[in-house]
PDB file of all heavy atoms in Angstrom:
ATOM      1  N   ALA D 153      -8.281  13.318   9.827  1.00  0.00           N
ATOM      2  CA  ALA D 153      -7.377  14.452   9.709  1.00  0.00           C
ATOM      3  C   ALA D 153      -5.980  14.036   9.254  1.00  0.00           C
ATOM      4  O   ALA D 153      -5.331  14.722   8.472  1.00  0.00           O
ATOM      5  CB  ALA D 153      -7.293  15.193  11.046  1.00  0.00           C
ATOM      6  N   LEU D 154      -5.518  12.876   9.749  1.00  0.00           N
ATOM      7  CA  LEU D 154      -4.198  12.393   9.347  1.00  0.00           C
ATOM      8  C   LEU D 154      -4.174  11.965   7.893  1.00  0.00           C
ATOM      9  O   LEU D 154      -3.159  12.152   7.193  1.00  0.00           O
ATOM     10  CB  LEU D 154      -3.774  11.227  10.235  1.00  0.00           C
ATOM     11  CG  LEU D 154      -3.353  11.559  11.672  1.00  0.00           C
ATOM     12  CD1 LEU D 154      -3.157  10.281  12.480  1.00  0.00           C
ATOM     13  CD2 LEU D 154      -2.072  12.406  11.686  1.00  0.00           C
ATOM     14  N   LEU D 155      -5.258  11.389   7.397  1.00  0.00           N
ATOM     15  CA  LEU D 155      -5.306  10.922   6.013  1.00  0.00           C
ATOM     16  C   LEU D 155      -5.501  12.046   5.003  1.00  0.00           C
ATOM     17  O   LEU D 155      -5.221  11.872   3.816  1.00  0.00           O
ATOM     18  CB  LEU D 155      -6.428   9.902   5.839  1.00  0.00           C
ATOM     19  CG  LEU D 155      -6.187   8.509   6.411  1.00  0.00           C
ATOM     20  CD1 LEU D 155      -7.430   7.649   6.237  1.00  0.00           C
ATOM     21  CD2 LEU D 155      -5.002   7.833   5.742  1.00  0.00           C
ATOM     22  N   ASP D 156      -5.977  13.190   5.468  1.00  0.00           N
ATOM     23  CA  ASP D 156      -6.240  14.316   4.557  1.00  0.00           C
ATOM     24  C   ASP D 156      -4.922  14.910   4.089  1.00  0.00           C
ATOM     25  O   ASP D 156      -4.196  15.545   4.872  1.00  0.00           O
ATOM     26  CB  ASP D 156      -7.090  15.372   5.277  1.00  0.00           C
ATOM     27  CG  ASP D 156      -7.617  16.436   4.326  1.00  0.00           C
ATOM     28  OD1 ASP D 156      -7.028  16.642   3.245  1.00  0.00           O
ATOM     29  OD2 ASP D 156      -8.619  17.091   4.686  1.00  0.00           O
ATOM     30  N   GLN D 157      -4.602  14.729   2.820  1.00  0.00           N
ATOM     31  CA  GLN D 157      -3.320  15.195   2.283  1.00  0.00           C
ATOM     32  C   GLN D 157      -3.217  16.715   2.260  1.00  0.00           C
ATOM     33  O   GLN D 157      -2.120  17.259   2.073  1.00  0.00           O
ATOM     34  CB  GLN D 157      -3.104  14.629   0.882  1.00  0.00           C
ATOM     35  CG  GLN D 157      -3.143  13.109   0.824  1.00  0.00           C
ATOM     36  CD  GLN D 157      -2.063  12.449   1.667  1.00  0.00           C
ATOM     37  OE1 GLN D 157      -0.869  12.621   1.409  1.00  0.00           O
ATOM     38  NE2 GLN D 157      -2.466  11.715   2.706  1.00  0.00           N
ATOM     39  N   ARG D 158      -4.317  17.414   2.465  1.00  0.00           N
ATOM     40  CA  ARG D 158      -4.266  18.876   2.553  1.00  0.00           C
ATOM     41  C   ARG D 158      -3.696  19.332   3.893  1.00  0.00           C
ATOM     42  O   ARG D 158      -3.295  20.490   4.039  1.00  0.00           O
ATOM     43  CB  ARG D 158      -5.659  19.467   2.369  1.00  0.00           C
ATOM     44  CG  ARG D 158      -6.266  19.228   0.981  1.00  0.00           C
ATOM     45  CD  ARG D 158      -7.717  19.600   0.923  1.00  0.00           C
ATOM     46  NE  ARG D 158      -8.517  18.755   1.827  1.00  0.00           N
ATOM     47  CZ  ARG D 158      -9.828  18.831   1.943  1.00  0.00           C
ATOM     48  NH1 ARG D 158     -10.512  19.712   1.227  1.00  0.00           N
ATOM     49  NH2 ARG D 158     -10.472  18.020   2.774  1.00  0.00           N
ATOM     50  N   ASN D 159      -3.671  18.434   4.870  1.00  0.00           N
ATOM     51  CA  ASN D 159      -3.092  18.782   6.181  1.00  0.00           C
ATOM     52  C   ASN D 159      -1.597  18.536   6.199  1.00  0.00           C
ATOM     53  O   ASN D 159      -0.816  19.426   6.525  1.00  0.00           O
ATOM     54  CB  ASN D 159      -3.782  17.967   7.278  1.00  0.00           C
ATOM     55  CG  ASN D 159      -5.219  18.382   7.480  1.00  0.00           C
ATOM     56  OD1 ASN D 159      -5.594  19.509   7.170  1.00  0.00           O
ATOM     57  ND2 ASN D 159      -6.047  17.484   7.997  1.00  0.00           N
ATOM     58  N   LEU D 160      -1.198  17.320   5.905  1.00  0.00           N
ATOM     59  CA  LEU D 160       0.213  17.000   5.715  1.00  0.00           C
ATOM     60  C   LEU D 160       0.273  15.853   4.733  1.00  0.00           C
ATOM     61  O   LEU D 160      -0.562  14.953   4.774  1.00  0.00           O
ATOM     62  CB  LEU D 160       0.936  16.684   7.029  1.00  0.00           C
ATOM     63  CG  LEU D 160       0.495  15.575   7.968  1.00  0.00           C
ATOM     64  CD1 LEU D 160       1.588  15.362   9.018  1.00  0.00           C
ATOM     65  CD2 LEU D 160      -0.798  15.883   8.676  1.00  0.00           C
ATOM     66  N   ALA D 161       1.206  15.929   3.806  1.00  0.00           N
ATOM     67  CA  ALA D 161       1.220  15.021   2.665  1.00  0.00           C
ATOM     68  C   ALA D 161       2.160  13.856   2.897  1.00  0.00           C
ATOM     69  O   ALA D 161       3.337  14.053   3.216  1.00  0.00           O
ATOM     70  CB  ALA D 161       1.636  15.790   1.399  1.00  0.00           C
ATOM     71  N   GLY D 162       1.611  12.641   2.731  1.00  0.00           N
ATOM     72  CA  GLY D 162       2.452  11.458   2.807  1.00  0.00           C
ATOM     73  C   GLY D 162       1.944  10.370   3.724  1.00  0.00           C
ATOM     74  O   GLY D 162       2.440   9.248   3.688  1.00  0.00           O
ATOM     75  N   ILE D 163       0.952  10.675   4.562  1.00  0.00           N
ATOM     76  CA  ILE D 163       0.426   9.672   5.486  1.00  0.00           C
ATOM     77  C   ILE D 163      -0.677   8.874   4.809  1.00  0.00           C
ATOM     78  O   ILE D 163      -1.603   9.438   4.217  1.00  0.00           O
ATOM     79  CB  ILE D 163      -0.121  10.334   6.770  1.00  0.00           C
ATOM     80  CG1 ILE D 163       1.031  10.900   7.584  1.00  0.00           C
ATOM     81  CG2 ILE D 163      -0.913   9.326   7.609  1.00  0.00           C
ATOM     82  CD1 ILE D 163       0.600  11.632   8.831  1.00  0.00           C
ATOM     83  N   GLY D 164      -0.571   7.554   4.902  1.00  0.00           N
ATOM     84  CA  GLY D 164      -1.598   6.660   4.393  1.00  0.00           C
ATOM     85  C   GLY D 164      -2.189   5.844   5.526  1.00  0.00           C
ATOM     86  O   GLY D 164      -2.008   6.151   6.717  1.00  0.00           O
ATOM     87  N   ASN D 165      -2.868   4.785   5.181  1.00  0.00           N
ATOM     88  CA  ASN D 165      -3.647   4.036   6.152  1.00  0.00           C
ATOM     89  C   ASN D 165      -2.784   3.342   7.213  1.00  0.00           C
ATOM     90  O   ASN D 165      -3.192   3.218   8.364  1.00  0.00           O
ATOM     91  CB  ASN D 165      -4.501   2.997   5.423  1.00  0.00           C
ATOM     92  CG  ASN D 165      -5.785   2.719   6.141  1.00  0.00           C
ATOM     93  OD1 ASN D 165      -6.346   3.599   6.790  1.00  0.00           O
ATOM     94  ND2 ASN D 165      -6.271   1.491   6.065  1.00  0.00           N
ATOM     95  N   VAL D 166      -1.616   2.873   6.820  1.00  0.00           N
ATOM     96  CA  VAL D 166      -0.735   2.214   7.795  1.00  0.00           C
ATOM     97  C   VAL D 166      -0.281   3.213   8.852  1.00  0.00           C
ATOM     98  O   VAL D 166      -0.436   2.989  10.061  1.00  0.00           O
ATOM     99  CB  VAL D 166       0.479   1.563   7.108  1.00  0.00           C
ATOM    100  CG1 VAL D 166       1.416   0.956   8.156  1.00  0.00           C
ATOM    101  CG2 VAL D 166       0.036   0.507   6.110  1.00  0.00           C
ATOM    102  N   TYR D 167       0.269   4.326   8.400  1.00  0.00           N
ATOM    103  CA  TYR D 167       0.761   5.312   9.355  1.00  0.00           C
ATOM    104  C   TYR D 167      -0.356   5.923  10.186  1.00  0.00           C
ATOM    105  O   TYR D 167      -0.149   6.269  11.351  1.00  0.00           O
ATOM    106  CB  TYR D 167       1.537   6.416   8.628  1.00  0.00           C
ATOM    107  CG  TYR D 167       2.943   6.007   8.275  1.00  0.00           C
ATOM    108  CD1 TYR D 167       3.349   5.910   6.959  1.00  0.00           C
ATOM    109  CD2 TYR D 167       3.874   5.716   9.273  1.00  0.00           C
ATOM    110  CE1 TYR D 167       4.650   5.519   6.632  1.00  0.00           C
ATOM    111  CE2 TYR D 167       5.161   5.336   8.961  1.00  0.00           C
ATOM    112  CZ  TYR D 167       5.545   5.240   7.634  1.00  0.00           C
ATOM    113  OH  TYR D 167       6.818   4.852   7.315  1.00  0.00           O
ATOM    114  N   LYS D 168      -1.547   6.053   9.610  1.00  0.00           N
ATOM    115  CA  LYS D 168      -2.688   6.570  10.382  1.00  0.00           C
ATOM    116  C   LYS D 168      -2.899   5.734  11.645  1.00  0.00           C
ATOM    117  O   LYS D 168      -2.985   6.274  12.765  1.00  0.00           O
ATOM    118  CB  LYS D 168      -3.949   6.551   9.534  1.00  0.00           C
ATOM    119  CG  LYS D 168      -5.225   6.914  10.277  1.00  0.00           C
ATOM    120  CD  LYS D 168      -6.455   6.350   9.580  1.00  0.00           C
ATOM    121  CE  LYS D 168      -6.552   4.849   9.764  1.00  0.00           C
ATOM    122  NZ  LYS D 168      -7.723   4.270   9.066  1.00  0.00           N
ATOM    123  N   SER D 169      -2.973   4.414  11.478  1.00  0.00           N
ATOM    124  CA  SER D 169      -3.199   3.525  12.623  1.00  0.00           C
ATOM    125  C   SER D 169      -2.005   3.533  13.578  1.00  0.00           C
ATOM    126  O   SER D 169      -2.189   3.566  14.801  1.00  0.00           O
ATOM    127  CB  SER D 169      -3.468   2.099  12.130  1.00  0.00           C
ATOM    128  OG  SER D 169      -4.698   2.022  11.453  1.00  0.00           O
ATOM    129  N   GLU D 170      -0.803   3.507  13.034  1.00  0.00           N
ATOM    130  CA  GLU D 170       0.392   3.460  13.873  1.00  0.00           C
ATOM    131  C   GLU D 170       0.584   4.748  14.665  1.00  0.00           C
ATOM    132  O   GLU D 170       0.940   4.728  15.849  1.00  0.00           O
ATOM    133  CB  GLU D 170       1.625   3.183  13.000  1.00  0.00           C
ATOM    134  CG  GLU D 170       1.607   1.807  12.353  1.00  0.00           C
ATOM    135  CD  GLU D 170       1.709   0.674  13.367  1.00  0.00           C
ATOM    136  OE1 GLU D 170       2.733   0.583  14.062  1.00  0.00           O
ATOM    137  OE2 GLU D 170       0.733  -0.098  13.481  1.00  0.00           O
ATOM    138  N   LEU D 171       0.330   5.878  14.054  1.00  0.00           N
ATOM    139  CA  LEU D 171       0.499   7.162  14.741  1.00  0.00           C
ATOM    140  C   LEU D 171      -0.508   7.327  15.861  1.00  0.00           C
ATOM    141  O   LEU D 171      -0.182   7.837  16.950  1.00  0.00           O
ATOM    142  CB  LEU D 171       0.382   8.314  13.747  1.00  0.00           C
ATOM    143  CG  LEU D 171       1.571   8.484  12.795  1.00  0.00           C
ATOM    144  CD1 LEU D 171       1.211   9.401  11.641  1.00  0.00           C
ATOM    145  CD2 LEU D 171       2.790   9.022  13.560  1.00  0.00           C
ATOM    146  N   ALA D 172      -1.749   6.899  15.627  1.00  0.00           N
ATOM    147  CA  ALA D 172      -2.757   6.981  16.690  1.00  0.00           C
ATOM    148  C   ALA D 172      -2.331   6.105  17.873  1.00  0.00           C
ATOM    149  O   ALA D 172      -2.476   6.503  19.050  1.00  0.00           O
ATOM    150  CB  ALA D 172      -4.119   6.567  16.167  1.00  0.00           C
ATOM    151  N   PHE D 173      -1.810   4.916  17.579  1.00  0.00           N
ATOM    152  CA  PHE D 173      -1.333   4.050  18.658  1.00  0.00           C
ATOM    153  C   PHE D 173      -0.221   4.734  19.445  1.00  0.00           C
ATOM    154  O   PHE D 173      -0.215   4.736  20.690  1.00  0.00           O
ATOM    155  CB  PHE D 173      -0.836   2.714  18.100  1.00  0.00           C
ATOM    156  CG  PHE D 173      -0.211   1.838  19.155  1.00  0.00           C
ATOM    157  CD1 PHE D 173      -1.002   1.023  19.956  1.00  0.00           C
ATOM    158  CD2 PHE D 173       1.158   1.843  19.360  1.00  0.00           C
ATOM    159  CE1 PHE D 173      -0.437   0.233  20.951  1.00  0.00           C
ATOM    160  CE2 PHE D 173       1.731   1.052  20.352  1.00  0.00           C
ATOM    161  CZ  PHE D 173       0.939   0.245  21.150  1.00  0.00           C
ATOM    162  N   LEU D 174       0.741   5.296  18.739  1.00  0.00           N
ATOM    163  CA  LEU D 174       1.881   5.922  19.415  1.00  0.00           C
ATOM    164  C   LEU D 174       1.470   7.153  20.226  1.00  0.00           C
ATOM    165  O   LEU D 174       2.152   7.533  21.170  1.00  0.00           O
ATOM    166  CB  LEU D 174       2.955   6.287  18.383  1.00  0.00           C
ATOM    167  CG  LEU D 174       3.651   5.073  17.753  1.00  0.00           C
ATOM    168  CD1 LEU D 174       4.472   5.495  16.534  1.00  0.00           C
ATOM    169  CD2 LEU D 174       4.539   4.381  18.784  1.00  0.00           C
ATOM    170  N   ALA D 175       0.338   7.757  19.844  1.00  0.00           N
ATOM    171  CA  ALA D 175      -0.191   8.891  20.609  1.00  0.00           C
ATOM    172  C   ALA D 175      -1.115   8.438  21.722  1.00  0.00           C
ATOM    173  O   ALA D 175      -1.623   9.253  22.494  1.00  0.00           O
ATOM    174  CB  ALA D 175      -0.935   9.856  19.683  1.00  0.00           C
ATOM    175  N   ALA D 176      -1.375   7.124  21.805  1.00  0.00           N
ATOM    176  CA  ALA D 176      -2.215   6.514  22.849  1.00  0.00           C
ATOM    177  C   ALA D 176      -3.663   6.987  22.794  1.00  0.00           C
ATOM    178  O   ALA D 176      -4.347   7.068  23.813  1.00  0.00           O
ATOM    179  CB  ALA D 176      -1.624   6.774  24.237  1.00  0.00           C
TER     180      ALA D 176
END
Side-chain angles (χ1 to χ4, degrees):
L154 286 172
L155 286 176
D156 191 337
Q157 302 299 297
R158 296 170 296 182
N159 291 336
L160 58 169
I163 291 177
N165 211 32
V166 177
Y167 280 116
K168 173 203 73 182
S169 292
E170 294 294 297
L171 287 166
F173 175 84
L174 291 168

